[in-house]
Amino acid sequence: MIPHEAPPGELMNVQVVRLLSGVSVHGDQHLAEVERDLVQMDVLLNEAIKKLCTSFMAIHHAVDRQQEALNNLLADSMPATEYAARFETLRGEINLHVDAAVTGLQFQDMTSQLIGRMIQHLAGLRNVFGALDTNGTVLPESGNEALLAMLNHISDRVGAHCTELAGGVRSTVNQRHMNSGDIELF
Amino acid sequence: MSKTILAVDDSGSLRQMLSFSLKAAGYGVIEAVDGEDGLNKAKQQKVDLVLTDQNMPGMDGLSLIKALRAMKNYQNVPILMLTTESGDDMKALGKAAGASGWLVKPFDPARLTEVIKKLIG
């Protein structure tokens, strides 16, 4: 609580210190929550892709075995040409779906890179919020000199972290869809 | 005898999809988890083509290409970069390092094998 009888200079000093500490602590708390959720999301996506890949491989092998059995059956009973053609068409359709699934199943490589970059940015932002902390600074009851010195010091710290953050993590994923990418031979 | 391809990528799911697609097309596949692992495996066994990611922990794709091109028996082996990176500046770096081509992820198995067939048959 700020005493009502405090002189205006002291009141401002106390308010500035409280404001900075509040922004620092609450900002950091919220970013820590976001970071935790991102890490959890990454873990879930990682597990999901492993399961999807395993199921995909199992389905593919099962379809292969089924195809083999059908081929043997067809060879034994010398089927009509239209049956053979129908199975050939089906095989083509299956292959198209398999190729599309292989392209789609590559999403986790990109999402994990994006999540990793977000986490690095969050860590940088938490450093910025940390730099706002007044670390329990007690300012003199009157005068602005100590307040200005403290604000300058904080400003320098924030500036240094912002520069680090800006130059830190290069963007490596620009894909906005899961269609296959460009190919260029040199 | 089937041709052998070295697939270098730190993403397990990507390696699995690459391996699946290349084996289905009749190639033998050796997997490596990063540039250093790729370099070690390339030294142990000569491969017919190298497919590498760019951004990996430790040795990245560009460094791997430079290291391979410095080896006598890898000077003429096709090396393809398969990466999420699509910028012209990165492609220029890849070309300068000795990459034979640049493929932007995600890949389509049919298009990938078509390119590989063109390069190594």
Side-chain angles (χ1 to χ4, degrees), chain A residues 120-126 128 160-169:
Chain A
Q120 281 176 285
H121 271 287
L122 280 175
L125 263 180
R126 289 184 73 184
V128 171
H161 285 301
C162 287
T163 311
E164 253 173 55
L165 190 57
V169 203

Side-chain angles (χ1 to χ4, degrees), chain A residues 49 53 56-57 60 98-99 102-103 106 108-110 113 170 172 175 178-186, chain B residues 11 13-14 16-17 20-21 55 84-85 91 99-111 115:
Chain A
I49 189 67
C53 286
F56 168 78
M57 301 301 262
H60 186 265
V98 167
D99 279 5
V102 167
T103 306
Q106 293 165 55
Q108 194 257 348
D109 177 44
M110 283 166 236
Q113 283 189 57
R170 197 172 58 84
T172 56
Q175 282 77 352
M178 285 301 293
N179 298 333
S180 72
D182 290 339
I183 295 176
E184 193 179 334
L185 289 180
F186 301 139
Chain B
S11 161
S13 58
L14 211 294
Q16 201 172 2
M17 289 303 108
F20 166 78
S21 309
N55 298 304
T84 54
E85 304 249 15
K91 284 184 189 173
S100 316
W102 197 275
L103 286 75
V104 179
K105 289 177 182 174
F107 71 85
D108 169 68
R111 290 182 71 201
V115 169

Side-chain angles (χ1 to χ4, degrees), chain A residues 49-116:
Chain A
I49 189 67
K50 277 183 191 156
K51 290 190 172 192
L52 280 171
C53 286
T54 306
S55 301
F56 168 78
M57 301 301 262
I59 291 169
H60 186 265
H61 287 139
V63 170
D64 258 3
R65 283 200 304 275
Q66 194 182 40
Q67 190 73 49
E68 233 176 83
L70 276 172
N71 285 343
N72 291 339
L73 200 67
L74 288 174
D76 288 348
S77 58
M78 290 192 293
T81 338
E82 60 263 32
Y83 276 116
R86 173 96 180 103
F87 282 124
E88 202 48 47
T89 309
L90 278 175
R91 194 207 307 262
E93 278 174 26
I94 290 169
N95 284 344
L96 279 180
H97 289 303
V98 167
D99 279 5
V102 167
T103 306
L105 284 169
Q106 293 165 55
F107 74 88
Q108 194 257 348
D109 177 44
M110 283 166 236
T111 53
S112 72
Q113 283 189 57
L114 288 168
I115 289 173

